Amino acid sequence: MVFGGIEAGGTKIVCAVGNRSGEITSKKVIPTSAPEETLMEVKAFFSHFDLEALGVGSFGPVDLNKESDTYGTILNTPKTDWKNFDLLGRLKGDYQIPVYIDTDVNAACLGEYRYGAGKCVNSCLYITVGTGIGAGLVQDGYTFQGKIHPEMGHVMVPRHSDDSFAGCCPYHGNCLEGMASGPAIEKRHGNKGYLLSHDAAVWEIEAHYLAHAIVNYTLILSPERIILGGGVMKQEILYSLVREKVSKLLNSYVDVGNLNDFISAPALDDEQGVKGAITLAADR
Ligand code: ADP
Ligand code: ZN
């Protein structure tokens, strides 16, 4: 039996076909343009396969409330072509097979939970630090949605004493995403993150914000493992800085076990999203 997975991102859509063992047998990356154009290319790719079911990890916000009339619709996105687009309805119409939808970060978390850095634990949180910041949660094999879905990238974090940057979240200014996303680093320091590797102050400030958010997530959700991915985390120094700060902030109040395991890097080499999307289809 083969299953389809779609990781729908703001810049690219990754389509893949795979099985229950987490093996991907075919994959295609399609740039995200207007919905019609993009989904025609997606359909052309999947037309070569006899799929049992399809899973989608989508950029958001997306309505994940199964009781809602707009279940599976992309909501208030800055990508205006996709605003109010009924993604789930459209895919169900295109393929006539069961289609399951979740957030991109929940799908990535599920991929890591099943096949990657979270495969030895019962609960894990996956955080992506990239163009935006988001996090997904899996407990006992199920992703968490709540009413619509969590927006953990927009939590408030205390300002670093050496930081005067106002923040760049269009909704909240200085929320976590406004202070610690890739674009926030670029706006604060006037240079892209990958060109700032040797500037220790940049990563000290970055780790400060990530650590405060991680402490809050730990206290609220108590995950067994926290996996940090996304473009900004290519700065590997961040893992040790974040671990050190999380440890200091928690001050032994909660026992998170070995910190190197508790806060870890992803293991699926940028395929966690699409593998998680396939898992959504295969599991249900
Ligand atoms: P997206 O979030 O758009 O899906 P990424 O996870 O790759 O994509 O994140 C892109 C962001 O990560 C950009 O803001 C980019 O500047 C930043 N980034 C990418 N590589 C690095 C790096 N090596 N060091 C620091 N920042 C990086
Ligand atoms: Zn925000």
Side-chain angles (χ1 to χ4, degrees):
M1 278 201 281
V2 290
F3 301 91
I6 299 177
E7 182 192 349
T11 50
K12 63 181 194 309
I13 309 257
V14 185
C15 303
V17 172
N19 58 27
R20 281 210 165 88
S21 314
E23 287 147 6
I24 288 184
T25 49
S26 200
K27 187 166 115 173
K28 183 165 188 191
V29 180
I30 295 165
T32 310
S33 51
E36 283 306 323
E37 208 177 315
T38 314
L39 293 175
M40 255 169 48
E41 273 195 72
V42 170
K43 197 172 178 186
F45 169 76
F46 283 121
S47 68
H48 303 289
F49 307 96
D50 189 16
L51 302 178
E52 288 296 311
L54 181 65
V56 190
S58 175
F59 70 93
V62 51
D63 184 354
L64 295 183
N65 176 2
K66 292 195 178 75
E67 310 298 317
S68 159
D69 292 343
T70 53
Y71 177 54
T73 296
I74 309 277
L75 300 171
N76 189 25
T77 170
K79 291 192 76 71
T80 48
D81 284 351
W82 290 82
K83 193 171 170 176
N84 300 324
F85 184 80
D86 179 9
L87 181 60
L88 181 65
R90 169 59 182 266
L91 293 171
K92 280 184 167 169
D94 275 357
Y95 300 101
Q96 305 291 317
I97 54 174
V99 184
Y100 303 94
I101 192 164
D102 213 319
T103 59
D104 46 5
V105 275
N106 265 351
C109 192
L110 188 60
E112 288 288 343
Y113 171 87
R114 188 58 58 81
Y115 306 110
K119 70 181 174 193
C120 310
V121 296
N122 294 319
S123 61
C124 71
L125 186 75
Y126 176 88
I127 308 175
T128 179
V129 190
T131 307
I133 299 183
L137 178 70
V138 172
Q139 163 92 51
D140 297 323
Y142 289 92
T143 58
F144 179 85
Q145 281 99 28
K147 179 173 181 280
I148 299 172
H149 55 75
E151 285 284 1
M152 293 188 236
H154 294 266
V155 294
M156 292 299 160
V157 277
R159 177 172 292 282
H160 188 284
S161 54
D162 297 336
D163 187 18
S164 56
F165 178 56
C168 63
C169 172
Y171 295 93
H172 320 109
N174 61 359
C175 67
L176 177 66
E177 182 172 297
M179 298 306 263
S181 61
I185 295 171
E186 192 176 341
K187 286 185 180 124
R188 176 187 293 112
H189 302 285
N191 224 337
K192 286 203 180 294
Y194 75 93
L195 297 169
L196 295 164
S197 297
H198 301 294
D199 188 340
V202 172
W203 310 111
E204 156 65 30
I205 289 175
E206 179 69 12
H208 164 93
Y209 293 120
L210 294 176
H212 276 86
I214 286 170
V215 164
N216 288 334
Y217 304 148
T218 303
L219 296 172
I220 294 168
L221 303 169
S222 189
E224 266 177 84
R225 183 152 301 178
I226 295 182
I227 303 162
L228 281 170
V232 173
M233 293 309 299
K234 304 270 187 246
Q235 296 292 327
E236 288 188 10
I237 182 78
L238 280 173
Y239 289 97
S240 50
L241 289 173
V242 167
R243 284 182 191 122
E244 204 178 285
K245 289 176 193 300
V246 166
S247 173
K248 252 191 207 150
L249 288 165
L250 284 174
N251 198 21
S252 307
Y253 181 63
V254 221
D255 179 12
V256 295
N258 182 322
L259 260 182
N260 292 332
D261 295 333
F262 180 57
I263 295 175
S264 61
L268 298 185
D269 205 15
D270 290 337
E271 285 196 329
Q272 53 282 111
V274 80
K275 284 189 176 169
I278 290 171
T279 306
L280 282 175
D283 277 7
R284 308 288 185 267

